[in-house]
PDB file of all heavy atoms in Angstrom:
ATOM      1  N   ALA Y 266      -0.036   2.071  16.493  1.00 98.00           N
ATOM      2  CA  ALA Y 266       0.988   3.119  16.263  1.00 98.00           C
ATOM      3  C   ALA Y 266       0.592   3.936  15.036  1.00 98.00           C
ATOM      4  O   ALA Y 266       0.761   5.199  15.020  1.00 98.00           O
ATOM      5  CB  ALA Y 266       2.363   2.477  16.103  1.00 98.00           C
ATOM      6  N   GLU Y 267       0.111   3.288  13.969  1.00 97.00           N
ATOM      7  CA  GLU Y 267      -0.223   4.000  12.763  1.00 97.00           C
ATOM      8  C   GLU Y 267      -1.452   4.929  13.002  1.00 97.00           C
ATOM      9  O   GLU Y 267      -1.459   6.089  12.583  1.00 97.00           O
ATOM     10  CB  GLU Y 267      -0.660   2.984  11.665  1.00 97.00           C
ATOM     11  CG  GLU Y 267       0.481   2.227  11.090  1.00 97.00           C
ATOM     12  CD  GLU Y 267       0.089   1.139  10.147  1.00 97.00           C
ATOM     13  OE1 GLU Y 267      -1.087   0.779  10.143  1.00 97.00           O
ATOM     14  OE2 GLU Y 267       1.006   0.574   9.439  1.00 97.00           O
ATOM     15  N   MET Y 268      -2.393   4.435  13.769  1.00 96.00           N
ATOM     16  CA  MET Y 268      -3.594   5.330  14.065  1.00 96.00           C
ATOM     17  C   MET Y 268      -3.203   6.461  14.952  1.00 96.00           C
ATOM     18  O   MET Y 268      -3.817   7.502  14.887  1.00 96.00           O
ATOM     19  CB  MET Y 268      -4.713   4.450  14.680  1.00 96.00           C
ATOM     20  CG  MET Y 268      -5.196   3.326  13.862  1.00 96.00           C
ATOM     21  SD  MET Y 268      -6.065   3.828  12.339  1.00 96.00           S
ATOM     22  CE  MET Y 268      -7.692   4.080  12.981  1.00 96.00           C
ATOM     23  N   MET Y 269      -2.235   6.306  15.882  1.00 98.00           N
ATOM     24  CA  MET Y 269      -1.743   7.398  16.686  1.00 98.00           C
ATOM     25  C   MET Y 269      -1.147   8.487  15.823  1.00 98.00           C
ATOM     26  O   MET Y 269      -1.386   9.663  16.010  1.00 98.00           O
ATOM     27  CB  MET Y 269      -0.715   6.886  17.685  1.00 98.00           C
ATOM     28  CG  MET Y 269      -1.333   6.055  18.831  1.00 98.00           C
ATOM     29  SD  MET Y 269      -0.018   5.435  19.984  1.00 98.00           S
ATOM     30  CE  MET Y 269       0.618   7.006  20.676  1.00 98.00           C
ATOM     31  N   LEU Y 270      -0.311   8.084  14.890  1.00 98.00           N
ATOM     32  CA  LEU Y 270       0.303   9.085  13.958  1.00 98.00           C
ATOM     33  C   LEU Y 270      -0.796   9.833  13.170  1.00 98.00           C
ATOM     34  O   LEU Y 270      -0.742  11.056  13.005  1.00 98.00           O
ATOM     35  CB  LEU Y 270       1.256   8.379  13.020  1.00 98.00           C
ATOM     36  CG  LEU Y 270       1.898   9.335  12.000  1.00 98.00           C
ATOM     37  CD1 LEU Y 270       2.856  10.305  12.676  1.00 98.00           C
ATOM     38  CD2 LEU Y 270       2.716   8.551  10.938  1.00 98.00           C
ATOM     39  N   SER Y 271      -1.751   9.065  12.661  1.00 97.00           N
ATOM     40  CA  SER Y 271      -2.876   9.645  11.925  1.00 97.00           C
ATOM     41  C   SER Y 271      -3.638  10.675  12.823  1.00 97.00           C
ATOM     42  O   SER Y 271      -4.048  11.779  12.349  1.00 97.00           O
ATOM     43  CB  SER Y 271      -3.791   8.614  11.326  1.00 97.00           C
ATOM     44  OG  SER Y 271      -4.826   9.182  10.626  1.00 97.00           O
ATOM     45  N   LYS Y 272      -3.866  10.290  14.058  1.00 98.00           N
ATOM     46  CA  LYS Y 272      -4.566  11.215  14.986  1.00 98.00           C
ATOM     47  C   LYS Y 272      -3.808  12.499  15.229  1.00 98.00           C
ATOM     48  O   LYS Y 272      -4.361  13.574  15.249  1.00 98.00           O
ATOM     49  CB  LYS Y 272      -4.808  10.416  16.299  1.00 98.00           C
ATOM     50  CG  LYS Y 272      -5.425  11.287  17.403  1.00 98.00           C
ATOM     51  CD  LYS Y 272      -6.940  11.514  17.146  1.00 98.00           C
ATOM     52  CE  LYS Y 272      -7.738  10.340  17.601  1.00 98.00           C
ATOM     53  NZ  LYS Y 272      -9.209  10.578  17.663  1.00 98.00           N
ATOM     54  N   ALA Y 273      -2.440  12.341  15.390  1.00 98.00           N
ATOM     55  CA  ALA Y 273      -1.619  13.537  15.564  1.00 98.00           C
ATOM     56  C   ALA Y 273      -1.666  14.452  14.415  1.00 98.00           C
ATOM     57  O   ALA Y 273      -1.814  15.668  14.511  1.00 98.00           O
ATOM     58  CB  ALA Y 273      -0.146  13.118  15.826  1.00 98.00           C
ATOM     59  N   ALA Y 274      -1.666  13.912  13.156  1.00 97.00           N
ATOM     60  CA  ALA Y 274      -1.737  14.695  11.982  1.00 97.00           C
ATOM     61  C   ALA Y 274      -3.138  15.326  11.841  1.00 97.00           C
ATOM     62  O   ALA Y 274      -3.241  16.520  11.421  1.00 97.00           O
ATOM     63  CB  ALA Y 274      -1.394  13.883  10.740  1.00 97.00           C
ATOM     64  N   GLU Y 275      -4.182  14.561  12.176  1.00 97.00           N
ATOM     65  CA  GLU Y 275      -5.524  15.086  12.091  1.00 97.00           C
ATOM     66  C   GLU Y 275      -5.728  16.294  13.012  1.00 97.00           C
ATOM     67  O   GLU Y 275      -6.404  17.265  12.659  1.00 97.00           O
ATOM     68  CB  GLU Y 275      -6.513  13.958  12.569  1.00 97.00           C
ATOM     69  CG  GLU Y 275      -7.919  14.367  12.729  1.00 97.00           C
ATOM     70  CD  GLU Y 275      -8.706  13.414  13.576  1.00 97.00           C
ATOM     71  OE1 GLU Y 275      -8.307  12.256  13.718  1.00 97.00           O
ATOM     72  OE2 GLU Y 275      -9.785  13.824  14.058  1.00 97.00           O
ATOM     73  N   LEU Y 276      -5.095  16.243  14.179  1.00 98.00           N
ATOM     74  CA  LEU Y 276      -5.263  17.345  15.166  1.00 98.00           C
ATOM     75  C   LEU Y 276      -4.350  18.513  14.938  1.00 98.00           C
ATOM     76  O   LEU Y 276      -4.438  19.547  15.578  1.00 98.00           O
ATOM     77  CB  LEU Y 276      -5.049  16.795  16.566  1.00 98.00           C
ATOM     78  CG  LEU Y 276      -6.031  15.703  17.042  1.00 98.00           C
ATOM     79  CD1 LEU Y 276      -5.577  15.133  18.356  1.00 98.00           C
ATOM     80  CD2 LEU Y 276      -7.458  16.291  17.167  1.00 98.00           C
ATOM     81  N   SER Y 277      -3.438  18.341  13.971  1.00 97.00           N
ATOM     82  CA  SER Y 277      -2.436  19.400  13.730  1.00 97.00           C
ATOM     83  C   SER Y 277      -2.911  20.372  12.635  1.00 97.00           C
ATOM     84  O   SER Y 277      -3.938  20.198  12.063  1.00 97.00           O
ATOM     85  CB  SER Y 277      -1.081  18.723  13.266  1.00 97.00           C
ATOM     86  OG  SER Y 277      -1.242  18.277  11.931  1.00 97.00           O
ATOM     87  N   GLY Y 278      -2.077  21.382  12.445  1.00 94.00           N
ATOM     88  CA  GLY Y 278      -2.360  22.331  11.382  1.00 94.00           C
ATOM     89  C   GLY Y 278      -1.644  22.037  10.110  1.00 94.00           C
ATOM     90  O   GLY Y 278      -1.492  22.877   9.265  1.00 94.00           O
ATOM     91  N   THR Y 279      -1.236  20.718   9.930  1.00 94.00           N
ATOM     92  CA  THR Y 279      -0.516  20.317   8.722  1.00 94.00           C
ATOM     93  C   THR Y 279      -1.300  20.630   7.452  1.00 94.00           C
ATOM     94  O   THR Y 279      -2.539  20.234   7.385  1.00 94.00           O
ATOM     95  CB  THR Y 279      -0.170  18.840   8.805  1.00 94.00           C
ATOM     96  OG1 THR Y 279       0.545  18.597   9.977  1.00 94.00           O
ATOM     97  CG2 THR Y 279       0.635  18.445   7.616  1.00 94.00           C
ATOM     98  N   ASP Y 280      -0.695  21.231   6.476  1.00 94.00           N
ATOM     99  CA  ASP Y 280      -1.347  21.582   5.260  1.00 94.00           C
ATOM    100  C   ASP Y 280      -1.378  20.349   4.329  1.00 94.00           C
ATOM    101  O   ASP Y 280      -0.321  19.923   3.816  1.00 94.00           O
ATOM    102  CB  ASP Y 280      -0.588  22.728   4.543  1.00 94.00           C
ATOM    103  CG  ASP Y 280      -1.257  23.125   3.206  1.00 94.00           C
ATOM    104  OD1 ASP Y 280      -2.355  22.612   2.883  1.00 94.00           O
ATOM    105  OD2 ASP Y 280      -0.709  24.041   2.571  1.00 94.00           O
ATOM    106  N   MET Y 281      -2.531  19.766   4.143  1.00 93.00           N
ATOM    107  CA  MET Y 281      -2.641  18.543   3.332  1.00 93.00           C
ATOM    108  C   MET Y 281      -2.343  18.768   1.863  1.00 93.00           C
ATOM    109  O   MET Y 281      -2.080  17.864   1.108  1.00 93.00           O
ATOM    110  CB  MET Y 281      -4.030  17.915   3.516  1.00 93.00           C
ATOM    111  CG  MET Y 281      -4.195  17.257   4.847  1.00 93.00           C
ATOM    112  SD  MET Y 281      -3.137  15.794   5.029  1.00 93.00           S
ATOM    113  CE  MET Y 281      -2.867  15.779   6.814  1.00 93.00           C
ATOM    114  N   GLU Y 282      -2.477  20.029   1.427  1.00 92.00           N
ATOM    115  CA  GLU Y 282      -2.240  20.343  -0.011  1.00 92.00           C
ATOM    116  C   GLU Y 282      -0.763  20.292  -0.340  1.00 92.00           C
ATOM    117  O   GLU Y 282      -0.401  20.157  -1.507  1.00 92.00           O
ATOM    118  CB  GLU Y 282      -2.797  21.753  -0.334  1.00 92.00           C
ATOM    119  CG  GLU Y 282      -4.275  21.840  -0.190  1.00 92.00           C
ATOM    120  CD  GLU Y 282      -5.040  20.981  -1.172  1.00 92.00           C
ATOM    121  OE1 GLU Y 282      -4.482  20.667  -2.258  1.00 92.00           O
ATOM    122  OE2 GLU Y 282      -6.158  20.538  -0.876  1.00 92.00           O
ATOM    123  N   THR Y 283       0.145  20.389   0.653  1.00 94.00           N
ATOM    124  CA  THR Y 283       1.596  20.375   0.424  1.00 94.00           C
ATOM    125  C   THR Y 283       2.290  19.216   1.169  1.00 94.00           C
ATOM    126  O   THR Y 283       3.544  19.165   1.111  1.00 94.00           O
ATOM    127  CB  THR Y 283       2.218  21.708   0.793  1.00 94.00           C
ATOM    128  OG1 THR Y 283       1.986  21.992   2.180  1.00 94.00           O
ATOM    129  CG2 THR Y 283       1.628  22.821  -0.078  1.00 94.00           C
TER     130      THR Y 283
END
Side-chain angles (χ1 to χ4, degrees):
E267 291 173 346
M268 300 293 277
M269 287 177 66
L270 178 66
S271 182
K272 176 76 80 169
E275 173 199 341
L276 297 172
S277 75
T279 304
D280 182 3
M281 287 293 151
E282 296 295 334
T283 59

